[in-house]
Amino acid sequence: MFATYLRRELTNRRKQSIIIAIGMALAIALVIVVNSVSAGVKDAQAAVLKSVYGVGTDITVTKPAQAPGQGTTANGPGRGRFDFGADSGDADSSTGSREVHQSRLESRPDAPVMASSALTRAKSVTGVAAAAGVLSLTNSTFDGTLPNFQQLREAREDRGGSGAAASTPAPTGGADGAGGSSFTVSSFSVLGIDPAGSDVGPLSATTLAKGRAFTKSDTGKHVAVLDTSYAKAADLALDDTITVGGTDFTIVGLVSASGSDATTASNVYVPLDVAQTLSGNAGKISTIYVTAASADDIAQVKTALEKKLPSTTVSTQADLASTVSGSLGSAGELVAGLGTWLSLIVLAAAFLIAILFTISGVTRRTREFGTLKAIGWSNRRVVGQVAGESVVQGLIGGVIGIAVGLIGILVVNLLAPTLSGTLGQNSTADAAGRLGRLGGAAGTTGAGGASAGGFGGGGAFTGAGPGGFTRQAAASTDVVLNAPVTLWVILIAVGLAVLGGLIAGAIGGWRASRLRPAAALRSVA
Amino acid sequence: MYTLTNVTKTYVQSKRTITALKDVTLAIPDGQLVAIQGQTGGGKSTLLQMLGALDRPSSGEVLLADAALSALPDRKLAGLRAREIGFVFQGFNLIPTLSANENVETALAPLGLARAESRQRAAEALASVGLADRGSHLPAELSGGQQQRVAIARALVKQPRVLLADEPTGNLDEETRDEIMDLLEGMWRDRGLTLVIVTHDSAVAKRAQRRLHIKHGTVREAA
Ligand SMILES: Nc1ncnc2c1ncn2[C@@H]1O[C@H](COP(=O)(O)OP(=O)(O)OP(=O)(O)O)[C@@H](O)[C@H]1O
Ligand SMILES: [Mg+2]
């Protein structure tokens, strides 16, 4: 009887059933899509983190980044400055201009250095399973031609003296309008890592594409491992030579990010001790990668590390995930904020619709339920009938909602939006600060270099190319969003649909249980 | 069958107290056909509710055979209604979404019969009221007289000892009224039912063995 009655009610009162089911379906579909997309965003954030920090990194320890403008002690004030004395470069005998090539390797402003004793102390913290220290560096290369300032000055004095056209041909302006100088400034990121290898750290998330990985015997050697995409962009191959900090390194291996389309943490990897020596950071590291012995201990390990290593920043994966910015960060915020609220509101609306329709249904069927009670139906049977109808309506809505939700997820995955994640503490401000600093450095350098030669117009190239700098220096990673479908999401959706039906059914059933059987005798329907 | 002793029923509505039944003492023997008449608001339906275990008196005692309806808990009253008492209403009160056969089956639901048996008994009950071929029809597809026949089948399918009818012909034309009364009288005679019919219609009341008259909650035997 229960099933027959229920089926008849659902099919013969189709309008009400459809409205309740549609409301529930919408809500469930939204919950599924939001849930799945937010899981996808989380996966993407994890991929970004993994590509930068490596597999198995639970915690990182860094020195807080300094505010722009404050110089670091490692290189003294005026970091990023290229100094060209009168004798720098090779003089071209015919024109007197100089070919200048300078390569500088220095620590990054967003990754200040600390003594490597911090690593030993970190390893001594209980709950730390493994720890590795790396040195984050930027290699900037200045490549170009400077005019023969001596000749320029003479030419000018000649003109002033005679008032006539110069007898010696003055150097023609270069591409940058700076009077005979032309140059390029480029940079790439360099990571000094322990060649003996470690299970934790940036290289643990990479796969060897070509050549070999570092071994213990690489300590002190001028060998480098390159990111595959960087090597391709820089037109470098295995066994080629790359100049890092003015020193030639042999490329012994190429690595690419495993499991995702992301690039790896750095453009170039070199043995830690070599990086320390070349950048003037002997005995210094910039980041410590820590693996906790158990995933449950991470919070305690973090606290212990903070105690052991004061004046450092200790970040867990969760802390780090919140530093992923860029379109990935926006997507994360959108899903977490708007998506969650929207699905909550629609869910509440769907529940409300189900409850109101059930109540109005019970009210409309007062005489019907009164009659059933009058002919001997127990309260429980009547309540069960009302609740059963609501739960089944909710379930139908849930099933439709799951179907719609899965289609929604399919659409998301077919569109496969590419999200770009930028990592770093307060990444935007940091990048802007770095941009400003590099621009300022280039300006100072240009003006300084020119005045050294006595040439006043040299400031023209201020700010040239810092955009390129910044983009390369920031750890930006592209990840394709893939919204996963988990059994959990489906179960939660079904659970919510049943819950909605149960709430509506309980309220409707409560109303029905309070109906007096004598209501059957009311003459008006 | 019934013994009512000093039954009073009052309804409290906001501040007013309405006495629907006033100190009613009454006995109805097994197998009697009783008609209850009286003006609107006199307390006919209220009396039927007492007999039908739909409500408890404010004071006094109602006995159905040996069961004190006035003292039993709701659950027991529901069980009693399910087994012993059949109801027929003025407005038929069929479930609009269920077919005739399914409507009759609703009366068997509390008895926990096997599905096949329940269906079989419902079909037999429908046949006994002359609607063997209408089992699959919805109430809306049946005439008023046919709907009341389905309601009578529903009331009798559980083979109760008592049949209570509140204005069973009130919504029917005269010809149909007589058909329904013939049917009820036939059932009463064949099954040895105790049949109580509330009616405005003296043509209906005339068929009863005994006629009661209610005015302002007080019952008296009519001539
Ligand atoms: N649930 C209730 N709440 C309050 N008052 C009620 C209730 N049920 C009945 N009454 C009142 O009790 C009195 C008797 O009502 P009852 O329905 O028994 O009359 P009736 O004789 O059946 O009338 P009718 O011929 O119109 O059906 C009336 O005054 C009615 O207003
Ligand atoms: Mg009445």
Side-chain angles (χ1 to χ4, degrees):
Chain A
M1 193 70 241
F2 174 78
T4 311
Y5 192 11
L6 199 149
R7 202 172 61 237
R8 294 276 187 262
E9 281 301 314
L10 293 185
T11 50
N12 290 342
R13 295 191 206 272
R14 211 168 284 148
K15 212 183 198 170
Q16 161 167 353
S17 303
I18 286 172
I19 290 172
I20 293 179
I22 283 177
M24 205 61 91
L26 257 172
I28 296 303
L30 209 60
V31 166
I32 288 181
V33 171
V34 167
N35 233 302
S36 164
V37 169
S38 91
V41 169
K42 271 205 194 90
D43 287 352
Q45 284 179 334
V48 170
L49 287 177
K50 199 176 110 185
S51 77
V52 176
Y53 291 103
V55 183
T57 301
D58 298 318
I59 296 170
T60 62
V61 180
T62 52
K63 263 283 208 248
Q66 277 143 319
Q70 294 175 326
T72 54
T73 47
N75 290 330
R79 45 178 292 116
R81 174 192 179 117
F82 292 100
D83 293 318
F84 304 112
D87 301 325
S88 350
D90 310 312
D92 184 311
S93 52
S94 60
T95 62
S97 63
R98 290 158 194 277
E99 292 286 333
V100 178
H101 175 87
Q102 275 212 16
S103 178
R104 307 187 58 90
L105 184 64
E106 52 203 6
S107 64
R108 286 167 45 170
D110 60 331
V113 293
M114 56 188 152
S116 54
S117 59
L119 177 60
T120 326
R121 270 184 286 160
K123 278 180 176 164
S124 72
V125 169
T126 41
V128 170
V134 304
L135 183 59
S136 263
L137 302 167
T138 302
N139 187 89
S140 319
T141 307
F142 183 100
D143 235 331
T145 311
L146 289 178
N148 184 334
F149 299 114
Q150 187 65 28
Q151 211 175 39
L152 276 174
R153 188 160 45 206
E154 282 163 7
R156 199 158 41 183
E157 279 161 4
D158 277 359
R159 274 203 298 276
S162 65
S167 53
T168 39
T172 46
D176 58 357
S181 63
S182 90
F183 59 89
T184 54
V185 180
S186 64
S187 82
F188 52 84
S189 53
V190 177
L191 208 54
I193 65 162
D194 183 2
S198 173
D199 289 341
V200 61
L203 275 185
S204 62
T206 62
T207 351
L208 193 65
K210 262 184 198 145
R212 63 176 180 86
F214 285 132
T215 64
K216 202 167 181 172
S217 60
D218 286 326
T219 310
K221 296 224 179 97
H222 292 168
V223 287
V225 169
L226 264 64
D227 177 81
T228 307
S229 20
Y230 175 73
K232 203 170 179 186
D235 207 14
L236 289 165
L238 203 63
D239 298 327
D240 280 359
T241 301
I242 181 168
T243 309
V244 179
T247 309
D248 286 346
F249 282 71
T250 311
I251 300 168
V252 296
L254 296 176
V255 291
S256 47
S258 36
S260 71
D261 318 334
T263 51
T264 67
S266 179
N267 299 140
V268 177
Y269 302 84
V270 297
L272 178 60
D273 60 324
V274 179
Q276 288 171 331
T277 318
L278 282 180
S279 63
N281 283 310
K284 299 272 167 69
I285 50 175
S286 51
T287 310
I288 300 171
Y289 294 79
V290 176
T291 307
S294 148
D296 307 327
D297 302 340
I298 289 174
Q300 287 114 283
V301 173
K302 178 184 175 178
T303 321
L305 282 169
E306 277 169 340
K307 214 178 253 170
K308 196 92 172 186
L309 300 166
S311 81
T312 60
T313 306
V314 180
S315 318
T316 62
Q317 282 281 344
D319 300 335
L320 295 172
S322 65
T323 70
V324 174
S325 61
S327 57
L328 186 52
S330 317
E333 278 160 29
L334 193 73
V335 169
L338 186 68
T340 306
W341 279 112
L342 193 65
S343 46
L344 274 180
I345 289 168
V346 173
L347 201 62
F351 278 25
L352 200 68
I353 287 173
I355 290 168
L356 291 179
F357 269 82
T358 305
I359 287 177
S360 90
V362 170
T363 308
R364 186 160 33 78
R365 290 159 75 189
T366 296
R367 198 171 69 146
E368 180 173 326
F369 292 133
T371 302
L372 288 172
K373 287 185 180 188
I375 66 171
W377 280 41
S378 66
N379 241 336
R380 205 203 297 166
R381 189 178 293 273
V382 172
V383 170
Q385 197 71 42
V386 172
E389 284 173 20
S390 292
V391 169
V392 170
Q393 277 165 345
L395 266 178
I396 291 171
V399 168
I400 297 172
I402 288 171
V404 173
L406 289 180
I407 290 170
I409 292 172
L410 189 70
V411 168
V412 170
N413 286 338
L414 283 180
L415 293 176
T418 302
L419 298 175
S420 150
T422 309
L423 197 79
Q425 286 130 339
N426 197 2
S427 182
T428 335
D430 195 25
R434 201 178 311 134
L435 185 100
R437 197 154 4 148
L438 286 169
T444 317
T445 310
S451 60
F455 182 63
F461 56 78
T462 303
F469 267 151
T470 316
R471 236 175 289 124
Q472 273 185 333
S476 175
T477 308
D478 286 347
V479 181
V480 173
L481 178 71
N482 176 58
V485 180
T486 58
L487 190 64
W488 267 115
V489 172
I490 304 289
L491 285 180
I492 287 171
V494 173
L496 280 174
V498 172
L499 181 73
L502 271 178
I503 292 175
I507 294 174
W510 175 73
R511 297 274 295 220
S513 78
R514 284 167 47 97
L515 289 176
R516 294 166 56 248
L521 292 178
R522 281 191 351 188
S523 47
V524 191
Chain B
M1 176 64 39
Y2 279 107
T3 314
L4 282 71
T5 319
N6 303 118
V7 171
T8 297
K9 179 68 184 176
T10 55
Y11 294 105
V12 181
Q13 227 176 17
S14 56
K15 274 171 216 152
R16 266 176 352 124
T17 303
I18 297 155
T19 307
L21 288 179
K22 203 184 287 173
D23 202 24
V24 175
T25 298
L26 178 72
I28 300 175
D30 280 11
Q32 195 168 53
L33 201 174
V34 184
I36 299 176
Q37 286 180 287
Q39 66 193 95
T40 284
K44 304 184 292 292
S45 296
T46 306
L47 178 60
L48 211 63
Q49 285 171 34
M50 298 300 131
L51 300 177
L54 296 180
D55 209 347
R56 292 189 194 82
S58 307
S59 67
E61 191 179 53
V62 180
L63 291 178
L64 168 58
D66 295 327
L69 303 185
S70 38
L72 289 176
D74 284 353
R75 198 171 42 82
K76 287 262 168 67
L77 290 184
L80 210 69
R81 292 199 295 269
R83 279 175 279 110
E84 313 279 12
I85 302 166
F87 260 109
V88 175
F89 308 93
Q90 178 175 0
F92 321 135
N93 293 20
L94 298 177
I95 311 300
T97 53
L98 295 180
S99 70
N101 208 65
E102 287 157 359
N103 260 290
V104 176
E105 276 187 81
T106 58
L108 297 176
L111 302 183
L113 300 176
R115 231 193 130 141
E117 189 188 350
S118 149
R119 195 171 286 176
Q120 172 71 21
R121 276 178 66 172
E124 282 167 13
L126 272 185
S128 73
V129 297
L131 288 177
D133 54 344
R134 298 300 176 106
S136 60
H137 287 234
L138 288 176
E141 297 162 354
L142 299 172
S143 73
Q146 287 169 331
Q147 287 187 52
Q148 196 61 303
R149 283 167 188 268
V150 174
I152 291 168
R154 178 178 66 184
L156 295 180
V157 70
K158 58 187 158 194
Q159 293 169 338
R161 288 198 285 171
V162 180
L163 182 61
L164 306 173
D166 194 354
E167 314 237 21
T169 58
N171 285 8
L172 302 174
D173 60 51
E174 276 182 33
E175 199 178 322
T176 317
R177 173 197 69 190
D178 292 340
E179 281 171 26
I180 292 295
M181 276 316 295
D182 288 345
L183 180 64
L184 285 174
E185 219 179 314
M187 293 287 181
W188 165 69
R189 192 170 339 214
D190 294 348
R191 301 186 180 209
L193 291 166
T194 302
L195 175 55
V196 181
I197 300 177
V198 167
T199 184
H200 269 117
D201 192 331
S202 23
V204 171
K206 238 179 260 161
R207 297 178 176 228
Q209 294 175 314
R210 181 182 177 194
R211 289 154 73 176
L212 296 174
H213 206 275
I214 300 191
K215 197 176 182 180
H216 302 313
T218 311
V219 178
R220 68 175 169 79
E221 304 280 342

